Amino acid sequence: MGSFLKELLAEIVGEVVLSVIACIALAGLALAFVWGWGRSPLVTGGLGGALLAFLGYGGWELRRPARPGRRGRLAGVAAATFAVAALFVAYAWSCNCS
Protein backbone atom coordinates (compact mmCIF):
# COMPACT_ATOMS: atom_id res chain seq x y z
CA MET A 1 0.00 0.00 0.00
CA GLY A 2 2.86 2.37 0.80
CA SER A 3 4.49 1.96 -2.61
CA PHE A 4 1.15 2.58 -4.33
CA LEU A 5 0.67 5.87 -2.49
CA LYS A 6 4.26 6.86 -3.16
CA GLU A 7 3.85 6.18 -6.89
CA LEU A 8 0.50 7.99 -6.99
CA LEU A 9 1.98 11.03 -5.26
CA ALA A 10 4.95 11.04 -7.66
CA GLU A 11 2.60 10.96 -10.65
CA ILE A 12 0.46 13.78 -9.27
CA VAL A 13 3.51 15.93 -8.56
CA GLY A 14 4.90 15.18 -12.04
CA GLU A 15 1.63 16.16 -13.69
CA VAL A 16 1.49 19.40 -11.70
CA VAL A 17 5.08 20.29 -12.55
CA LEU A 18 4.56 19.60 -16.27
CA SER A 19 1.32 21.59 -16.27
CA VAL A 20 2.98 24.57 -14.59
CA ILE A 21 5.91 24.46 -17.04
CA ALA A 22 3.50 24.27 -19.97
CA CYS A 23 1.45 27.21 -18.70
CA ILE A 24 4.58 29.31 -18.11
CA ALA A 25 5.89 28.44 -21.58
CA LEU A 26 2.54 29.33 -23.15
CA ALA A 27 2.39 32.65 -21.28
CA GLY A 28 6.00 33.42 -22.21
CA LEU A 29 5.34 32.67 -25.87
CA ALA A 30 2.26 34.91 -25.83
CA LEU A 31 4.19 37.75 -24.16
CA ALA A 32 7.07 37.39 -26.63
CA PHE A 33 4.61 37.52 -29.52
CA VAL A 34 2.87 40.65 -28.20
CA TRP A 35 6.20 42.36 -27.48
CA GLY A 36 7.57 41.43 -30.90
CA TRP A 37 4.41 42.53 -32.67
CA GLY A 38 4.73 45.95 -31.03
CA ARG A 39 8.33 46.29 -32.20
CA SER A 40 8.11 44.83 -35.72
CA PRO A 41 5.03 42.97 -37.00
CA LEU A 42 6.85 41.82 -40.15
CA VAL A 43 9.72 40.16 -38.27
CA THR A 44 7.35 38.65 -35.71
CA GLY A 45 5.17 37.17 -38.43
CA GLY A 46 8.20 35.88 -40.30
CA LEU A 47 9.66 34.22 -37.20
CA GLY A 48 6.27 32.77 -36.30
CA GLY A 49 5.93 31.35 -39.80
CA ALA A 50 9.45 29.93 -39.68
CA LEU A 51 8.73 28.29 -36.32
CA LEU A 52 5.52 26.75 -37.68
CA ALA A 53 7.37 25.49 -40.75
CA PHE A 54 10.09 23.96 -38.55
CA LEU A 55 7.47 22.26 -36.35
CA GLY A 56 5.67 21.03 -39.46
CA TYR A 57 8.90 19.57 -40.79
CA GLY A 58 9.44 17.82 -37.45
CA GLY A 59 5.94 16.35 -37.56
CA TRP A 60 6.51 15.20 -41.13
CA GLU A 61 9.79 13.55 -40.14
CA LEU A 62 8.02 11.66 -37.35
CA ARG A 63 5.26 10.42 -39.67
CA ARG A 64 7.21 9.45 -42.77
CA PRO A 65 8.40 5.87 -43.20
CA ALA A 66 11.90 5.05 -41.99
CA ARG A 67 14.57 4.89 -44.64
CA PRO A 68 17.90 3.15 -44.48
CA GLY A 69 20.75 5.28 -43.23
CA ARG A 70 21.02 7.83 -40.49
CA ARG A 71 18.52 10.62 -40.04
CA GLY A 72 20.08 14.05 -40.41
CA ARG A 73 20.70 16.28 -37.41
CA LEU A 74 18.22 18.90 -38.54
CA ALA A 75 15.52 16.27 -38.99
CA GLY A 76 16.23 14.84 -35.53
CA VAL A 77 16.12 18.26 -33.89
CA ALA A 78 12.93 19.15 -35.74
CA ALA A 79 11.28 15.87 -34.70
CA ALA A 80 12.33 16.33 -31.06
CA THR A 81 11.12 19.95 -31.08
CA PHE A 82 7.78 18.85 -32.52
CA ALA A 83 7.42 16.13 -29.86
CA VAL A 84 8.20 18.55 -27.00
CA ALA A 85 5.88 21.19 -28.46
CA ALA A 86 3.09 18.62 -28.83
CA LEU A 87 3.57 17.58 -25.19
CA PHE A 88 3.46 21.18 -24.00
CA VAL A 89 0.38 21.92 -26.10
CA ALA A 90 -1.35 18.87 -24.60
CA TYR A 91 -0.61 20.04 -21.07
CA ALA A 92 -1.35 23.70 -21.78
CA TRP A 93 -4.67 22.70 -23.34
CA SER A 94 -5.70 21.04 -20.08
CA CYS A 95 -4.55 23.79 -17.71
CA ASN A 96 -6.69 26.67 -16.57
CA CYS A 97 -4.07 29.37 -17.03
CA SER A 98 -6.07 31.66 -19.29
Side-chain angles (χ1 to χ4, degrees), residues 8-23:
L8 179 67
L9 183 62
E11 284 187 28
I12 290 172
V13 168
E15 290 283 330
V16 168
V17 167
L18 282 176
S19 294
V20 167
I21 289 172
C23 286

Side-chain angles (χ1 to χ4, degrees), residues 32-72:
F33 180 79
V34 168
W35 177 80
W37 192 264
R39 301 209 26 118
S40 174
L42 183 64
V43 172
T44 303
L47 287 175
L51 178 63
L52 286 176
F54 186 68
L55 288 173
Y57 174 62
W60 179 72
E61 280 292 327
L62 285 175
R63 297 274 306 160
R64 77 182 216 177
R67 61 180 179 187
R70 199 175 95 183
R71 178 184 283 182

